[in-house]
Amino acid sequence: MGTAVTHAPATEARAKDPEPRHGPGTPPRPAGPQRRGRRENLAGYLFMSPWIAGFLLLTAGPMAASLYFAFTDYNLFDAPRWIGLDNFSEMFGDPRWRHSVRVTLWYVVVGTPVKLLVALGVALLLAQKRRGQAFYRAAFYAPSLIGASVSVAIVWKAIFSDDALVDRTQKVFGIDAGGWTGDPDLIIYSLVALTVWQFGAPMVIFLAGLKQVPRELYEAADVDGAGKLRQFWNITLPMISPVLFFNVLLETIHSFQIFSSAYIVGGGAGGNACGPADGSMVYTCYLYVQGFENSRMGLASAMAWMLLVAVALVTAVLFWSQKRWVHYEEGGR
C-alpha cells in the first residue's frame, strides 16, 4: 500500500496570505533614482569644496589656533607656552588697553550715529525726483568704494596735518587749532570725519527702504493736515525701521573693526603708531602693536577674542532692543 501525499496545507497557507512576499528570487527595485541623487549630491559637494576648504583653512583653523594662543605665551619665534588666564589678567590691568577701549567706544558712539544721520538725510534728498539724480547717487556712493583704502587714509592725513587744507580753513575763521592729526585731542575727530565721509553704502540702503514706503500714506497725512516733520516721524521712520536696524547693526560692527585708517592717520609704524599720545589708539590698533610690534601674539589673541565677545554682546543687545522700535509689515515688532 502506498502513502498518499497531499499539498493542501501549502495551498491553504497561500490562500490565507494573499499579499506577495519578496523572497530571494524577487528582483530588487531599480536603483536609478538613488544613483542619480548620489551623483547630484557629489556634484554639489564638489562645487562647495572651494568654500569649505577656504572656511576650514582661512577661518575656522585660524580661529581655533588663536583661541589656543590666547592662553599661551607666544612670540611667533618660540614654541607657545601654556600660561592659562595670565594674558587676560594682564590685559585687564593694562592702562593702555583700557584707554583703547574708551577711544573705541567713543568712536562707535559718536561716529556711527553721525554717519547714519548724514546717510539718511542725503537719502531723503535723493528720494525726490530731480535732474541729475543718477549722477548724484553715484557721486555720493563713490567714497564708500575707496574710503577704506590706504591711499585715501594717506591723503586724509595730509589734509588734516599742520598748515594743510583744514588748518588753513580754520585760520580764515580765526581758529588757530593747528592740524588735527598732530593733536591728541583732535585726531579722533579726523577719523570720525573720515567714516562720515563714507556714508554712501548706508545711504543706498536707506534709499531702497524709502522707495518701499507707500505714497498713499503721505497723501492721507496731507489730507489730515500733517506737516513734513510729523510725516517723517510717524510714517517714514516706522516704515524704514527694519532698514534702519540693519544699518545700525552693520555700521556698529564695522566701527568696532576700524584699523587701517586709524593706523595710517595716526602715524603708522613707530613710537606713535596709534597717534600722538595714543590719541587715535583704537582697540585693533593696540592689538596690532602688541601682536606685531611687541611680538606678544598670545596677548594679541586674547585681545582679539575679547573683541569678538564684545561685538557679540552688542549685537545681542541690538537684536533684543529691536522688539521695541522695529516695525514690520505684519504689524508686529
Side-chain angles (χ1 to χ4, degrees):
M1 295 178 63
T3 303
V5 179
T6 178
H7 297 281
T11 305
E12 293 176 1
R14 285 196 296 270
K16 294 180 181 179
D17 188 14
E19 295 295 329
R21 295 181 180 180
H22 299 285
T26 304
R29 299 179 64 182
Q34 296 180 357
R35 293 177 180 176
R36 185 165 57 251
R38 285 195 295 267
R39 287 197 299 268
E40 292 177 354
N41 292 337
L42 179 60
Y45 286 124
L46 287 176
F47 280 110
M48 290 174 58
S49 59
W51 182 89
I52 295 175
F55 174 76
L56 294 177
L57 297 176
L58 303 179
T59 303
M63 286 184 65
S66 68
L67 181 59
Y68 169 72
F69 292 147
F71 299 94
T72 63
D73 181 13
Y74 181 47
N75 59 6
L76 290 177
F77 303 103
D78 301 324
R81 181 174 58 88
W82 185 267
I83 59 175
L85 297 175
D86 289 355
N87 285 328
F88 294 93
S89 60
E90 178 184 352
M91 177 175 57
F92 294 142
D94 185 2
R96 295 190 72 192
W97 179 83
R98 294 195 296 268
H99 175 72
S100 69
V101 172
R102 289 193 296 269
V103 172
T104 304
L105 290 177
W106 191 95
Y107 176 82
V108 172
V109 171
V110 175
T112 301
V114 174
K115 181 179 182 179
L116 293 178
L117 285 174
V118 173
L120 180 57
V122 176
L124 288 171
L125 294 176
L126 294 180
Q128 309 297 325
K129 292 184 178 180
R130 62 185 73 244
R131 295 181 60 183
Q133 192 176 42
F135 168 77
Y136 289 119
R137 290 179 182 178
F140 285 126
Y141 181 72
S144 294
L145 300 176
I146 62 175
S149 63
V150 174
S151 58
V152 171
I154 294 174
V155 173
W156 204 263
K157 179 182 178 180
I159 293 175
F160 284 88
S161 299
D162 293 336
D163 201 29
L165 178 62
V166 174
D167 190 11
R168 294 180 180 180
T169 304
Q170 291 177 152
K171 291 178 180 179
V172 172
F173 294 96
I175 303 175
D176 191 10
W180 292 16
T181 56
D183 192 328
D185 297 326
L186 295 178
I187 187 172
I188 191 65
Y189 291 97
S190 65
L191 297 179
V192 171
L194 179 56
T195 190
V196 172
W197 180 64
Q198 304 170 37
F199 66 86
M203 177 205 70
V204 171
I205 298 174
F206 277 133
L207 192 58
L210 291 172
K211 292 294 184 181
Q212 301 302 317
V213 180
R215 296 292 98 188
E216 295 81 2
L217 297 178
Y218 295 108
E219 294 173 359
D222 287 332
V223 173
D224 293 338
K228 295 298 182 182
L229 183 60
R230 191 173 184 84
Q231 292 180 21
F232 172 78
W233 188 260
N234 292 333
I235 298 177
T236 305
L237 276 184
M239 293 299 295
I240 68 169
S241 57
V243 174
L244 178 61
F245 170 73
F246 177 79
N247 273 335
V248 169
L249 180 64
L250 208 62
E251 294 301 326
T252 300
I253 295 175
H254 287 170
S255 296
F256 274 106
Q257 297 174 336
I258 176 180
F259 171 71
S260 59
S261 58
Y263 184 75
I264 298 299
V265 175
N272 62 338
C274 298
D278 294 337
S280 63
M281 189 173 66
V282 294
Y283 193 93
T284 53
C285 188
Y286 190 47
L287 187 155
Y288 175 86
V289 169
Q290 290 287 16
F292 294 97
E293 293 190 4
N294 298 339
S295 297
R296 302 287 306 277
M297 191 56 65
L299 179 59
S301 298
M303 292 176 60
W305 276 95
M306 283 302 303
L307 178 61
L308 176 64
V309 171
V311 172
L313 290 176
V314 172
T315 302
V317 170
L318 288 175
F319 272 99
W320 171 81
S321 67
Q322 71 161 337
K323 300 177 182 179
R324 301 176 181 270
W325 60 277
V326 179
H327 303 262
Y328 295 97
E329 293 183 0
E330 293 79 3
R333 292 186 176 185

